[in-house]
Amino acid sequence: MSVQVETLEKNMAKLTIEVSEDKVEEALKEAYIKQKGKISLPGFRKGKVPRHMVEKMFGPEIFFEDAANQLIRENYGGAADESGIDIVSRPTIDVIQIEKGKPFIFTAEVAVKPEVTLGKYKGITVTKIDVTVTDEEVEEAVEQERKRSARTVSVEDGTVADGDTAVIDFEGFVDGEAFAGGKGENYSLEIGSHSFVDTFEEQLIGKACGEELEVNVTFPENYQEESLAGKPAMFKVKIHEISRKELPEADDEFAQDVSEFDTLAEYKEDIKKKLAEQKEASARRTKEDEAVRKIADAAKMELPEPMIEMQIESMIEEFAQRISQQGLSFEQYMQFSGVTMDKLKEQVRPDAISRIKSSLVLEQIAEEEKIEVTEEDIEAEMEKLASAYDMELDKIKELMGDAEKESMKKDLAVQKAVALVMDNVKERAKAKSKKEEKEDAE
């Protein structure tokens, strides 16, 4: 195999890859073996037609597609490595020559990692973030835990109140006619969730179990069902059950039930400590993002379009996985949201470009600062993985191939570059809004 590299505009390159005629013959033979079970000719049993007879009858081109696919699959990776260029996209393949007795020639057009010219990356100014934990935030955390620990009780004699769950039957009518999708039975509706249109939920407040009523609402102008958009509707509703959450008292007994502490005061102190840790971690990430974004904005680079496209596809795949974890397929999401793939790609594109630029400038910083990743660094990272996945360290090492190890090394170098940047940042107070200035003056 031989490889020639041609540099194109906008950080693109074309690899011309030539594979020997001997390899071509092997691939054609494999293609024949793969297809012969489907080929029949008069005078021969199915699957027993000699190759030369098939080629005489149909032409040798009958095996070219399978052979070409095999040759590309077997040779592109090695050619990419041999080229010595840093490829950052999938290849666009074009077959130039495939004939019996001749070398196989194909081209692969690829994006090349762009050169990055850094601007200022030390002494970057970032916004100072207040990480003070207020008493109100502690009380809110306690309140959230009370809600999680609440028990649900049935309301027999009372009426529906905000926050209750009512089990209802309902049927909707527009212009006196029932409409599709407007009927439900034994539906559990949390009052105040705003999951029903307009003031539907509010009109149930004060009604008793067993009561029947009419609820009048107006669909919003931008309602997804165009036939209902902007129209008034009447729902016939019957309330079957009412349930309410009873929250435990915030006292020492509550603290003992939900934590390892004996008193409410100790529990609150622990909450305050954890909230402070969360705020500090969040502030650190926010300042890192701000610093890296400013460095990326000051740097010069030309991103090849295929590199951006690949990042967009990767981010959409990540999004699809998150959607599936919520029990919704990506196809269902696209249908329900009404978003097209082109629109989604357009929405993702700015973040994709930002991610690429951030990664490139950090890699360039690591290179210019001659940041080294030691075997001790890699060992420590593997130990973290083993702990995170509850696996033996030896098993992690066994699963870690050269490519994975190189990727880890690259990630660790980027992490060290971030640390270097953050060790040299300057903080400034957030500029006050006119409203905040007015409040201070008062």
Side-chain angles (χ1 to χ4, degrees), residues 263-416:
T263 67
L264 183 62
E266 290 174 314
Y267 175 51
K268 286 184 177 180
E269 192 60 36
D270 183 64
I271 288 175
K272 188 172 185 177
K273 178 184 174 184
K274 288 177 179 174
L275 286 175
E277 291 171 352
Q278 291 169 11
K279 278 194 166 188
E280 287 167 3
S282 176
R284 184 171 60 253
R285 288 192 298 271
T286 301
K287 287 186 285 188
E288 285 176 359
D289 290 344
E290 182 181 355
V292 173
R293 185 178 66 252
K294 287 182 175 179
I295 294 168
D297 289 344
K300 294 179 181 178
M301 66 192 86
E302 184 178 18
L303 302 184
E305 188 59 32
M307 186 182 190
I308 299 172
E309 282 293 327
M310 192 163 76
Q311 181 65 49
I312 289 172
E313 290 173 12
S314 175
M315 290 172 68
I316 290 175
E317 286 173 9
E318 289 174 12
F319 177 70
Q321 288 175 357
R322 292 197 300 271
I323 288 292
S324 68
Q325 289 169 359
Q326 298 171 17
L328 192 68
S329 73
F330 185 62
E331 290 73 21
Q332 288 172 321
Y333 166 79
M334 297 289 280
Q335 181 183 351
F336 295 156
S337 66
V339 177
T340 64
M341 180 59 77
D342 286 343
K343 185 66 177 177
L344 188 58
K345 286 183 176 182
E346 184 184 328
Q347 291 172 355
V348 167
R349 185 179 177 88
D351 284 341
I353 292 173
S354 180
R355 279 197 194 185
I356 294 170
K357 286 185 173 181
S358 296
S359 179
L360 288 174
V361 295
L362 290 170
E363 289 173 16
Q364 189 64 29
I365 290 170
E367 185 176 328
E368 293 195 10
E369 292 289 335
K370 295 181 172 55
I371 290 174
E372 292 185 1
V373 176
T374 65
E375 288 299 322
E376 289 77 12
D377 292 330
I378 294 172
E379 184 81 8
E381 189 66 16
M382 287 185 179
E383 287 175 357
K384 286 181 186 177
L385 286 174
S387 176
Y389 291 101
D390 195 23
M391 294 172 65
E392 295 292 331
L393 180 57
D394 288 344
K395 186 64 176 177
I396 291 289
K397 290 180 178 180
E398 183 183 323
L399 295 171
M400 190 76 65
D402 291 340
E404 289 79 12
K405 193 172 180 179
E406 193 60 34
S407 177
M408 178 183 286
K409 194 172 181 179
K410 186 176 176 180
D411 289 343
L412 289 172
V414 165
Q415 290 174 28
K416 288 190 175 190

Side-chain angles (χ1 to χ4, degrees), residues 119-155:
K120 179 181 178 181
Y121 63 88
K122 288 183 179 178
I124 298 296
T125 301
V126 296
T127 306
K128 187 174 183 178
I129 299 173
D130 185 8
V131 293
T132 304
V133 178
T134 65
D135 292 340
E136 289 77 11
E137 288 170 326
V138 174
E139 292 301 330
E140 176 60 25
V142 172
E143 188 65 18
Q144 290 299 320
E145 188 58 48
R146 287 179 68 209
K147 289 178 181 178
R148 284 191 288 270
S149 302
R151 67 188 186 97
T152 302
V153 296
S154 179
V155 178

